[in-house]
Amino acid sequence: MGSNSSRISDLSKNEYLKKLSGTESVSENDPFWNQLLSFSFPAPTSSADLKLLEEATISVCKSLVENNPRTGNLAALIKVFLCRTKELKLSAECENHLFIWQTHNALFIICCLLKVFICEMSEEELQLHFTYEEKSPGSYSSDSEDLLEELICCLMQLITDVPLLDITYEISLEAISTMVVFLSCQLYHKEVLRQSISHKYLMQGRCLSYTSKLVKTLLYNFIRQEKPPPPGAHVLSQPSDAGGLLYGLASGVATGLWTVFTLGGVGSKQQTSELSSPLANQSLLLLLVLANLTDAPDAPNPYRQAIMSFKNTQDSSPFPTSIPHTFQINFNSLYTALCEQQTSDQATLLLYTLLHQNSNIRTYMLARTDMENLVLPILEILYHVEERNSHHVYMALIILLILTEDDGFNRSIHEVILKNITWYSERVLTEISLGSLLILVVIRTIQYNMTRTRDKYLHTNCLAALANMSAQFRSLHQYAAQRIISLFSLLSKKHSKVLEQATQSLRGSLGSNDVPLPDYAQDLNVIEEVIRMMLEIINSCLTNSLHHNPNLVYALLYKRDLFEQFRTHPSFQDIMQNIDLVITFFSSRLLQGGAELSVERVLEIIKQGIIALPKDRLKKFPELKFKYVEEEQPEEFFIPYVWSLVYNSAAGLYWNPQDIQLFTMDSD
């Protein structure tokens, strides 16, 4: 880019950039390209630097947008890149640093220009820029070579076929980033794109054959979490005979022109340095974008099909002929990576996607004997609900709901004993089962929601997870049993308060017909639904596993007065029968035991009573089972969510927040 542009502010005047974006055509065989592509620079790390680079280069990019229909310089640059990629795999094997470095730089420039072109024009106009014909300047033809499809296929081939080495790390990362940019037209539309030219390229024609290989490679990039090579590992450390003048040009240039579009962005929650593996992060983001593309009118999303159907490498059964794009991957490695990476939204979203859509993965995970490695990170997300965005919390909660649909999971979590859970700060837990800890965290989430967000959706899913587990409650920790009854106490007080407000409001309305009444009836209906759900959870435990839970009986007896008001309530009479019977039966035995009983003696009487209580006296109710069902048109939620993750990613791409239409972002 010329040794005179050592400052960001000089880039708009750079002679090479001005020639690229100017009014004269540059042949793909011109030595100019070697000069343009011989640059090296340190990556900017702050939002301020990224914004400055955006401002310094936008005029150059927009000039190319204006002049390219006459010059075709974008097409020439792409042809230079495509020509070089044919030798890329061989260059990696021969460790030809200089060739790979310049090819990376060509892709880097293409990525940046593509980003601006997509921002500035419609997909139809973009397609025209990629179908320029040199033989008739200024004209476009549908019969001319479609360089856009050529470029996309080349990128997919680069990602899947070029071996990942220190010298190829940056170009592999850049190829993935360029794929994300190619799909970023969604950012400039308020509505979810259901028919898009970019989708068509990926779902039909030559690109379709790369589907399973691309998904597999992106998953393995996530699994491996390869760290970037040390600075300078991808360029020559000293002049060589092969480099000559080319190396001299490169070593004299140290500018940061293009990283504005490939590292971080305004609004990022992380600093670039915090990402241990930018390649793994960017691979995961691209995978999520592909998985959430809307189906074509005449065909389902092939990337989602691949994610739904891949199998374990240890599964020797034949692939069903009816399922396309399937492949095999090491489930153990994938499971380990998922367990280790749950601090990020995107890893939690991947886990949700796999559990919900791939039955092979779900079956494998539920059969694991170390489920605590997966469940504990999910519980930590819910425990630190104040620090997480609502989408992350929802995904974690739905994952628990999906897991609790399985009776085997609900039994096994009570057999896993944990020691010293340091992140749980309300109480010292020196020893507790995974099942009891899960109950504690879900109840804490419900209580947080009751006092802060008041989200009915979150309430419903929390209670559904507890309900699914309730018949399998085993040896509940005394604190978990206490918290179940404490939650019921909180709901009971809320019920009384709303009932009193409704009564007072009704009395006040008798004197005035003009004042609109608050909808206390609706509030009362909601709180009574939640109370009934809690009573059903308690009843399910007593009916199915009373003999395993003396601590719950103890907690019931300790707070027995709470249940008095609900014994005759028409909404709860049926479900209160068993709870009332248990309270009456054990209260009678405690009275026979005498006064001033110790905690130990009370528990001993309860354990004896559990044996003595005839099981047929407890009325049987239908088993509580709730299954997660994805809402209609889930893309209305998931597509904006995925793109917000791309936008906020520390290894993501920079977009001006003022240009974003899909969701609202702060510009500071």
Side-chain angles (χ1 to χ4, degrees):
M1 290 182 292
S3 58
N4 293 328
S5 291
S6 58
R7 294 180 303 175
I8 292 175
S9 58
D10 293 332
L11 291 175
S12 60
K13 304 171 186 175
N14 183 278
E15 59 179 296
Y16 294 105
L17 296 178
K18 289 176 75 173
K19 184 172 181 178
L20 173 67
S21 61
T23 57
E24 293 184 10
S25 297
V26 182
S27 166
E28 59 196 87
N29 299 316
D30 197 302
F32 162 79
W33 299 110
N34 279 340
Q35 297 167 336
L36 177 68
L37 302 180
S38 297
F39 62 88
S40 176
F41 49 80
T45 56
S46 70
S47 294
D49 285 345
L50 292 167
K51 188 174 182 181
L52 186 61
L53 283 167
E54 163 91 350
E55 293 168 351
T57 57
I58 194 66
S59 61
V60 172
C61 295
K62 287 188 175 182
S63 291
L64 184 62
V65 170
E66 181 180 348
N67 294 322
N68 186 65
R70 293 181 296 276
T71 66
N73 285 344
L74 177 61
L77 173 60
I78 290 171
K79 288 179 179 178
V80 169
F81 170 72
L82 293 174
C83 182
R84 284 173 167 270
T85 55
K86 294 174 183 176
E87 301 177 40
L88 197 57
K89 192 172 182 179
L90 180 61
S91 297
E93 294 171 357
C94 299
E95 298 188 4
N96 189 337
H97 291 242
L98 183 59
F99 186 88
I100 294 171
W101 170 37
Q102 286 189 315
T103 309
H104 163 267
N105 287 350
L107 179 56
F108 202 25
I109 297 172
I110 292 168
C111 180
C112 304
L113 295 174
L114 181 60
K115 181 260 175 190
V116 177
F117 273 62
I118 289 172
C119 178
E120 292 289 318
M121 63 189 68
S122 68
E123 285 191 290
E124 290 75 16
E125 291 174 301
L126 176 67
Q127 196 173 28
L128 290 177
H129 278 272
F130 279 82
T131 52
Y132 172 85
E133 281 192 299
E134 187 178 352
K135 292 181 180 178
S136 48
S139 67
Y140 299 98
S141 167
S142 58
D143 297 329
S144 58
E145 184 181 27
D146 189 343
L147 282 178
L148 193 51
E149 183 177 40
E150 202 54 45
L151 175 62
I152 297 163
C153 287
C154 177
L155 291 174
M156 296 174 88
Q157 195 171 16
L158 194 160
I159 294 167
T160 57
D161 291 353
V162 174
L164 187 59
L165 309 168
D166 278 0
I167 57 173
T168 60
Y169 189 97
E170 295 296 335
I171 196 168
S172 296
L173 176 59
E174 202 60 47
I176 293 168
S177 294
T178 307
M179 288 284 290
V180 174
V181 167
F182 172 67
L183 291 161
S184 67
C185 52
Q186 175 64 78
L187 285 172
Y188 307 110
H189 293 79
K190 289 183 179 180
E191 305 297 327
V192 167
L193 290 177
R194 300 187 182 280
Q195 292 191 34
S196 165
I197 292 174
S198 58
H199 297 185
K200 184 178 178 181
Y201 278 119
L202 287 166
M203 294 188 187
Q204 299 176 15
R206 294 168 54 197
C207 295
L208 190 61
S209 61
Y210 291 98
T211 298
S212 58
K213 202 171 182 182
L214 178 62
V215 171
K216 183 176 182 178
T217 301
L218 295 175
L219 276 172
Y220 267 126
N221 285 349
F222 168 71
I223 289 169
R224 290 168 181 149
Q225 294 289 317
E226 291 282 356
K227 295 181 179 180
H234 64 294
V235 296
L236 296 178
S237 58
Q238 60 184 12
S240 66
D241 293 338
L245 174 62
L246 213 51
Y247 179 84
L249 282 170
S251 61
V253 180
T255 61
L257 168 60
W258 307 111
T259 45
V260 60
F261 299 119
T262 55
L263 294 169
V266 173
S268 293
K269 295 180 181 179
Q270 301 168 297
Q271 292 299 316
T272 308
S273 58
E274 292 180 6
L275 278 177
S276 60
S277 178
L279 181 69
N281 184 71
Q282 201 77 333
S283 295
L284 178 52
L285 291 171
L286 175 57
L287 181 64
L288 292 172
V289 170
L290 292 170
N292 286 283
L293 295 177
T294 54
D295 292 335
D298 54 347
N301 177 347
Y303 303 93
R304 189 183 300 121
Q305 285 184 314
I307 286 171
M308 290 173 65
S309 60
F310 70 83
K311 303 193 304 180
N312 195 353
T313 49
Q314 296 181 351
D315 186 348
S316 57
S317 61
F319 289 114
T321 54
S322 59
I323 302 177
H325 313 301
T326 192
F327 60 91
Q328 288 180 294
I329 203 166
N330 188 307
F331 277 14
N332 182 61
S333 300
L334 178 58
Y335 178 81
T336 301
L338 287 166
C339 293
E340 292 174 349
Q341 300 300 322
Q342 285 307 308
T343 52
S344 74
D345 282 69
Q346 46 264 41
T348 305
L349 181 53
L350 176 63
L351 174 58
Y352 158 78
T353 302
L354 295 177
L355 273 175
H356 177 53
Q357 297 185 1
N358 189 313
S359 59
N360 299 322
I361 279 281
R362 185 167 59 252
T363 301
Y364 173 84
M365 288 186 175
L366 288 169
R368 294 282 302 205
T369 57
D370 60 347
M371 277 297 289
E372 67 273 17
N373 292 335
L374 186 69
V375 175
L376 282 173
I378 299 301
L379 295 183
E380 272 201 75
I381 294 168
L382 293 175
Y383 185 80
H384 296 109
V385 59
E386 302 94 337
E387 303 167 15
R388 304 291 182 181
N389 68 68
S390 59
H391 289 0
H392 199 182
V393 172
Y394 286 149
M395 288 299 100
L397 188 54
I398 293 170
I399 286 167
L400 287 185
L401 179 55
I402 292 171
L403 293 173
T404 60
E405 292 171 11
D406 183 77
D407 286 340
F409 171 83
N410 295 331
R411 283 191 297 271
S412 65
I413 55 175
H414 292 286
E415 298 168 2
V416 178
I417 304 302
L418 308 169
K419 307 277 189 181
N420 299 317
I421 308 300
T422 55
W423 48 263
Y424 194 95
S425 59
E426 275 86 348
R427 177 163 172 161
V428 176
L429 299 174
T430 54
E431 186 173 292
I432 189 170
S433 72
L434 179 60
S436 289
L437 181 64
L438 195 158
I439 292 166
L440 285 175
V441 172
V442 171
I443 287 175
R444 184 179 183 275
T445 306
I446 294 173
Q447 291 179 325
Y448 174 84
N449 187 49
M450 286 176 65
T451 57
R452 305 284 182 85
T453 55
R454 300 181 182 180
D455 186 327
K456 185 180 178 181
Y457 178 82
L458 193 145
H459 252 22
T460 302
N461 283 283
C462 283
L463 290 168
L466 289 176
N468 284 347
M469 296 167 59
S470 59
Q472 307 292 339
F473 283 172
R474 295 288 187 276
S475 304
L476 289 183
H477 191 281
Q478 61 180 19
Y479 186 52
Q482 289 171 19
R483 298 310 295 165
I484 291 172
I485 305 304
S486 294
L487 175 58
F488 184 81
S489 174
L490 186 64
L491 292 167
S492 176
K493 290 175 183 176
K494 191 172 181 65
H495 180 265
S496 298
K497 183 179 178 180
V498 173
L499 191 59
E500 183 181 349
Q501 288 173 335
T503 305
Q504 290 177 352
S505 175
L506 190 61
R507 287 171 183 166
S509 69
L510 297 177
S512 173
N513 294 325
D514 300 327
V515 180
L517 289 175
D519 194 1
Y520 288 115
Q522 184 177 354
D523 290 347
L524 200 60
N525 184 54
V526 170
I527 194 68
E528 286 184 356
E529 283 182 10
V530 176
I531 286 174
R532 180 170 180 88
M533 190 85 158
M534 279 302 300
L535 288 172
E536 288 178 340
I537 289 167
I538 294 169
N539 179 73
S540 174
C541 176
L542 297 178
T543 307
N544 294 285
S545 53
L546 176 67
H547 55 295
H548 289 298
N549 292 290
N551 283 330
L552 182 62
V553 177
Y554 184 100
L556 268 175
L557 295 173
Y558 191 74
K559 292 283 188 179
R560 70 191 84 175
D561 294 343
L562 281 175
F563 298 88
E564 281 295 322
Q565 61 179 304
F566 300 106
R567 290 177 64 187
T568 56
H569 194 292
S571 298
F572 311 119
Q573 272 184 317
D574 59 333
I575 206 72
M576 275 297 300
Q577 289 180 32
N578 287 341
I579 297 172
D580 191 37
L581 187 152
V582 168
I583 290 174
T584 303
F585 177 82
F586 285 97
S587 295
S588 173
R589 294 185 73 91
L590 289 178
L591 283 174
Q592 295 172 17
E596 304 296 328
L597 297 174
S598 66
V599 173
E600 291 77 12
R601 178 58 183 151
V602 171
L603 281 170
E604 186 181 337
I605 292 172
I606 289 172
K607 290 175 182 177
Q608 293 170 351
I610 287 172
I611 298 171
L613 178 65
K615 300 298 182 291
D616 57 1
R617 291 183 60 185
L618 295 174
K619 181 182 177 181
K620 288 289 183 181
F621 287 84
E623 185 180 6
L624 293 179
K625 271 298 170 186
F626 294 88
K627 189 174 180 64
Y628 169 68
V629 178
E630 204 167 60
E631 295 184 7
E632 291 184 15
Q633 296 187 319
E635 63 274 9
E636 297 291 341
F637 170 84
F638 285 105
I639 289 177
Y641 180 32
V642 168
W643 279 105
S644 72
L645 297 180
V646 175
Y647 180 94
N648 282 317
S649 172
L653 301 128
Y654 175 82
W655 284 277
N656 189 328
Q658 296 177 352
D659 296 330
I660 305 300
Q661 297 293 317
L662 184 60
F663 47 81
T664 303
M665 292 300 304
D666 296 330
S667 58
D668 52 28

